[in-house]
C-alpha cells in the first residue's frame, strides 16, 4: 500500500464522523428524546473509555509480565499522568470559566446558580452550555481518533495491508456513531447550530484520525500512543459525567439507562466487526 493510498483511507476513516453531525440541527424535540440521545452518546463514550484504557494498559501489562520493571514504571507513569491531565484540565477549565462569568456579571463575591450560568454563558463566551459540551466531546473523541490513526499508519508501515484496511473499516464505523455522540447535546438547543459550527466539530473529532495516520506511518512509538490513549480516557470520562447529568435532568432513569445500553451496544457491535475480521 502506497503512502498516498494509506493517507486517503485514513482520511476516509476520519471523515465518516460527519455522517452523524446533522442531528445537531434537529429542533422541537421533546426533553425525553434529548435525554435518550444524550444517554446514547454516553453509552458510546463509556465503550470508548473502556477501549482506550484497555489498549493503553496492554503494553504496560506486557512489560510487567516480561519482568521489565523500568519499562513498566515508565509506561505506567505516562498512563497516570496523561489520564489526570486529560480529566482534570477540563474540570479546572470549566471552573475557571464559571468564575469568570460570575465575576463579570455579578462581581467578585457573587454566588453561583445553575439558572445564572445557563442564562449568561452564551452572552459571555459566544457559546451555550450545550455547544461547550459538544466541543468537549469532540476533543475527547479527537484524542481517541488520533490514537486510532496511529494504529492505521503503523499497520500500513509494517506492510500489514489487510489489517490496515480492516482497521479503516472498523474505525470508520466507530466514527460514524461518534458523530451522533458529539451532537446529542445540541439537539433542541435554543439556537440552531450552523453548518459551519458542525463542520468545526467534525474537524476536531475526525481530522486527528488523518493526522495520526500520517505520523503512524512515518514513526512508531509506544510511549506516545499510551500518552494519547490516557489523555483521551481522561477527557472522555469528564464528558461522560457531564452527559449523565444532562440526561438525568431531562428525563427518567429508565430512559437514560436504555440510552446508555443502546450506546454500549453500538460501540461493541462495531468493535466486534474488527475482531471477526481478525484485527
Amino acid at each position: 500500500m502506497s503512502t498516498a493510498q494509506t493517507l486517503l483511507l485514513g482520511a476516509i476513516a476520519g471523515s465518516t464522523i460527519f455522517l452523524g453531525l446533522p442531528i445537531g440541527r434537529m429542533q422541537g424535540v421533546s426533553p425525553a428524546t434529548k435525554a435518550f440521545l444524550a444517554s446514547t452518546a454516553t453509552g458510546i463514550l463509556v465503550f470508548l473509555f473502556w477501549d482506550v484504557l484497555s489498549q493503553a494498559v496492554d503494553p504496560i501489562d506486557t512489560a510487567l509480565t516480561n519482568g521489565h520493571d523500568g519499562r513498566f514504571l515508565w509506561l505506567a507513569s505516562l498512563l497516570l499522568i496523561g489520564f489526570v491531565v486529560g480529566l482534570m484540565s477540563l474540570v479546572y477549565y470549566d471552573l475557571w470559566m464559571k468564575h469568570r462569568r460570575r465575576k463579570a456579571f455579578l462581581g467578585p463575591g457573587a454566588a453561583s446558580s445553575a439558572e445564572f450560568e445557563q442564562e449568561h454563558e452564551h452572552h459571555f463566551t459566544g457559546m451555550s452550555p450545550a455547544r461547550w459540551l459538544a466541543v468537549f466531546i469532540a476533543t475527547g473523541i479527537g484524542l481517541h481518533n488520533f490514537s486510532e490513526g496511529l494504529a492505521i499508519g503503523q499497520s500500513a508501515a509494517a506492510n500489514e495491508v489487510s489489517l490496515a484496511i480492516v482497521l479503516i473499516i472498523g474505525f470508520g464505523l466507530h466514527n460514524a456513531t461518534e458523530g451522533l455522540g458529539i451532537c446529542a447535546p445540541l439537539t433542541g438547543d435554543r439556537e440552531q447550530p450552523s453548518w459551519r459550527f458542525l463542520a468545526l466539530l467534525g474537524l476536531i473529532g475526525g481530522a486527528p484520525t488523518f493526522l495520526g495516520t500520517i505520523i503512524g506511518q512515518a514513526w512508531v512509538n509506544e510511549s506516545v500512543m499510551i500518552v494519547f490513549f490516557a489523555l483521551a480516557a481522561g477527557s472522555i470520562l469528564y464528558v461522560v459525567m457531564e452527559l449523565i447529568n444532562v440526561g438525568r435532568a431531562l428525563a427518567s432513569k429508565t430512559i437514560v439507562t436504555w440510552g446508555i445500553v443502546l450506546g454500549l451496544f453500538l460501540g461493541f457491535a462495531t468493535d466486534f466487526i474488527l475482531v471477526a475480521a481478525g484485527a
Side-chain angles (χ1 to χ4, degrees), residues 104-184:
F105 286 101
L106 297 180
S112 175
S113 70
E115 294 79 7
F116 174 82
E117 299 291 345
Q118 180 75 22
E119 181 179 353
H120 292 283
E121 180 157 8
H122 184 277
H123 175 75
F124 184 72
T125 66
M127 292 200 298
S128 67
R131 292 194 180 197
W132 273 116
L133 185 54
V135 171
F136 285 155
I137 294 173
T139 301
I141 287 176
L143 289 168
H144 170 259
N145 286 343
F146 182 82
S147 301
E148 290 185 344
L150 289 176
I152 294 173
Q154 290 177 14
S155 298
N159 290 323
E160 298 176 2
V161 178
S162 60
L163 175 58
I165 293 175
V166 169
L167 289 175
I168 289 164
I169 295 172
F171 293 156
L173 291 172
H174 268 317
N175 287 348
T177 60
E178 289 165 359
L180 298 175
I182 290 174
C183 284

Side-chain angles (χ1 to χ4, degrees), residues 191-261:
E191 183 181 346
Q192 188 179 56
S194 65
W195 288 110
R196 182 177 178 180
F197 180 70
L198 294 180
L200 175 63
L201 293 176
L203 287 174
I204 294 173
T209 307
F210 178 70
L211 296 177
T213 302
I214 296 175
I215 296 174
Q217 190 181 46
W219 181 52
V220 178
N221 189 286
E222 190 175 62
S223 298
V224 172
M225 287 196 68
I226 287 178
V227 169
F228 275 95
F229 279 136
L231 288 170
S235 57
I236 287 172
L237 179 58
Y238 171 82
V239 172
V240 166
M241 294 188 296
E242 291 293 298
L243 280 176
I244 289 177
N245 289 334
V246 170
R248 291 296 302 274
L250 292 173
S252 68
K253 183 186 295 185
T254 303
I255 292 176
V256 171
T257 305
W258 274 115
I260 292 175
V261 169

Side-chain angles (χ1 to χ4, degrees), residues 3-87:
T3 299
Q5 290 173 324
T6 302
L7 297 183
L8 175 62
L9 292 175
I12 292 173
S15 64
T16 57
I17 201 169
F18 288 94
L19 297 176
L21 295 179
I23 196 175
R25 290 177 61 86
M26 289 176 57
Q27 297 293 307
V29 297
S30 66
T33 302
K34 291 170 63 176
F36 185 77
L37 290 172
S39 56
T40 301
T42 304
I44 293 171
L45 290 171
V46 168
F47 165 77
L48 292 179
F49 177 73
W50 168 83
D51 186 45
V52 296
L53 271 187
S54 62
Q55 293 186 62
V57 169
D58 279 346
I60 299 175
D61 283 344
T62 300
L64 182 61
T65 302
N66 294 337
H68 300 154
D69 294 341
R71 181 68 174 169
F72 163 75
L73 291 174
W74 167 247
L75 296 180
S77 298
L78 290 179
L79 176 60
L80 176 61
I81 293 171
F83 180 80
V84 171
V85 170
L87 174 62

